[in-house]
Amino acid sequence: MKPEQCHHLIDYFNGTMTSEESAEFERHLQECSECREELAELRILTEDLPYLSDPVEPSPGLKNRILEAAYSEGQPIKEEPSEFQAYKASAEPQIKKSKRSQSLIIGGLAAGLVLSLGANIIQMSDDKEEQLVQSEVLERKVALASVEGNKTLNANASFLKEKGDQFMVLQADGLPEIKDGELYQVWLIKGEKPVPAGYFTPDEKGNGALVYKVTDEDLDWDTVAITVENEPNLSAPKGKVVLAGNM
Amino acid sequence: MVENNDAVLYERLAAKDKQAFETLYDRYEKLLFSFAFKITKDRGLAEEVMQDVFVKLWNGTHAFESSKGKFSSWLLTITRNKAIDMIRKYAKHEHVELMDKDALISEEKPVDKIIEWKEDRELIRSAVSELNVEQQKVIDLFYFKGFSQQKISEKCGVPLGTVKGRIRLALKHLRETLEKGGRSDYEA
Ligand SMILES: [Zn+2]
C-alpha cells in the first residue's frame, strides 16, 4: 500500500494545500522516487497547454505601466520621467483609488482618455497628453444617471476607437461608499442581455473610472448600467442598479 | 536557439539590464497575457497577473535557474500559479464558470489577424479535440482552474482515489496524439 502522502501530488502541483502540508509533501518527495517522477512527468505533460490560449491583445500602455512598476519599486526614479510617468502623476488626483491596483486598470491610454474628457477638472501642465490622445476618436458618449434620482451621482461612458479597437472609458463621481468586498460592476446591455464590462472600486471621494475594451459582439448594445456586486463579472447582475443610461 | 537566447537575456536581466528585460517582456507579453486571460477570464485580473510576474522577475523574487528547464516553461508556470491565485481570491464562488461554458477549447473565430503561436495552437487544439469530453473536462478543471483533487472528484463524479490517474491518463493521451504530429490532419 502506498504511503498516504503519495495521494497529495495533484494538490501539491496546484498549490491547494496549506504551506505546512506543502512542506510535508516536499519532505516526502525527498524519499519517494515515484512521486518525484510523477511530478516531473506532470510538468512535462502540461508544458504545451498554455499554447491552447486564444490570442488576446493586451491594452495599449500595459508595458509602460509594468515597466514603471518594476523600475520604481523600492527606489526613487532617477531618470527623466517618461511620457507615461508625467501622465500618471497629473492624472493621479482624479484616479488614485482602490485596494486593487487601480493604476493598472486606469493607466496609460485610460489616464489620457480620462484626462481628455475631464479637462476641466485637471489642468494639463504639459501637452504630451494631447499628443497621446490624438489617435483616439470619440464615437459616442452616454450620460448615466442615478436610478434613485441622486443628483450628486453622475457618470459618463465614452466610446473611443483607437487603432481599430473600441474602448469604453467610464468615469463616475459621487458614488456611495460600498462595503469591503463589494465592487461596482459595469454592464453593457442589449435588449435583455447584459454583458459584464469591467468593474472598479471608488476612491475615498467616491470617484471611480475604468477602461473596457469592447469586443465586436458587444457593438450593438443599447444601455450602460452600473450595479453593486459582491463578485466581479457575474453572468447577470444580482445587485441593485445604481446608475443607468440609454443610447 | 531561442531558448539559449532567452537564457542569455535572463542573465542580463538578472544583472539589471533594462534592455534585456524589455526584450523578454516584448517576446512574452501577448502569450502570457492571453494565458492569464484564459485562466482568469478578466482583462483587469490578467493585467495584475502580468504586473506581478514581471515586477518579481525584475526584482529577483522570481529567480530562474537553467536547472529548472526551459525559461518559457518556467515563466508560464509562474504565470499560471499567479493567475490561479487571483481567481481563488476574486472569484470566491464559482460564477466564473458560468461565463465560460466549461469549454477547454473555445469556438474558433475567423482568422483575421496574424495569430501568434498559431501552429502550436492548432496542433494542440486538434490533439485536444481527439480526447473524449471527460478527459477534456478533467484537464480543464485540473490545469486551467487549478481545482483541488477533492473538487475535481466532485465535479467529475469519480472517486477521489482515481482523480490523479485520470489526469495522467488524459495528459498522456494528449501527449501521444501530439507526438503523432500533424498526421491526423492528413487522414481527415
Ligand atoms: Zn510518494
Side-chain angles (χ1 to χ4, degrees), chain A residues 2 6-7 9-11 13-16 38 41-42 44-59 62-63 65-67 69-71 73 79 100-101 104-105 181 196 199 213 230-235 238, chain B residues 18 21-22 25-26 29-31 33-35 37-38 42-43 45 47-48 50-51 54-55 58-59 73 76 80 88 90 92-93 95 99 105-106 115 117 121 124-125 142-144 146-149 164 167-168 171-172 175 178:
Chain A
K2 279 200 195 176
C6 293
H7 302 294
L9 182 69
I10 294 299
D11 289 339
F13 185 93
N14 273 351
T16 55
E38 284 186 8
E41 182 195 60
L42 266 187
I44 292 167
L45 291 175
T46 52
E47 216 172 45
D48 300 312
L49 289 171
Y51 296 93
L52 261 181
S53 313
D54 295 314
V56 182
E57 203 62 54
S59 309
L62 178 65
K63 180 182 176 183
R65 278 175 272 151
I66 286 176
L67 294 181
Y71 297 155
E73 212 190 41
E79 297 99 312
R100 298 185 43 214
S101 63
L104 255 176
I105 300 166
Y199 55 92
K213 185 169 169 182
N230 291 313
E231 294 161 60
N233 299 333
L234 296 166
S235 53
K238 276 177 152 180
Chain B
K18 287 184 177 178
F21 179 51
E22 289 169 30
Y25 180 90
D26 290 339
E29 181 190 49
K30 190 156 177 184
L31 175 62
F33 184 76
S34 301
F35 182 39
F37 183 80
K38 181 169 176 65
D42 182 280
R43 294 185 66 90
L45 292 184
E47 292 192 350
E48 285 193 46
M50 294 287 283
Q51 175 159 332
F54 281 99
V55 169
W58 176 250
N59 72 19
S73 303
L76 285 160
R80 173 182 180 262
R88 287 194 190 130
Y90 288 107
K92 286 169 225 144
H93 306 298
H95 298 285
M99 315 262 322
I105 42 181
S106 58
I115 295 178
W117 63 95
R121 191 164 141 262
I124 186 168
R125 281 175 72 100
F142 163 63
Y143 189 75
F144 289 101
F147 282 176
S148 68
Q149 194 165 223
K164 183 170 76 178
I167 292 169
R168 289 180 69 199
L171 290 171
K172 280 185 170 171
R175 173 54 63 114
L178 269 173

Side-chain angles (χ1 to χ4, degrees), chain B residues 110-121:
Chain B
V111 185
D112 57 354
K113 290 174 191 161
I114 304 156
I115 295 178
E116 282 84 353
W117 63 95
K118 185 166 179 274
E119 277 175 30
D120 289 329
R121 191 164 141 262

Side-chain angles (χ1 to χ4, degrees), chain A residues 6 28 32 35:
Chain A
C6 293
H28 170 74
C32 180
C35 279

Side-chain angles (χ1 to χ4, degrees), chain A residues 55 58 134 155 191:
Chain A
Q134 266 168 15

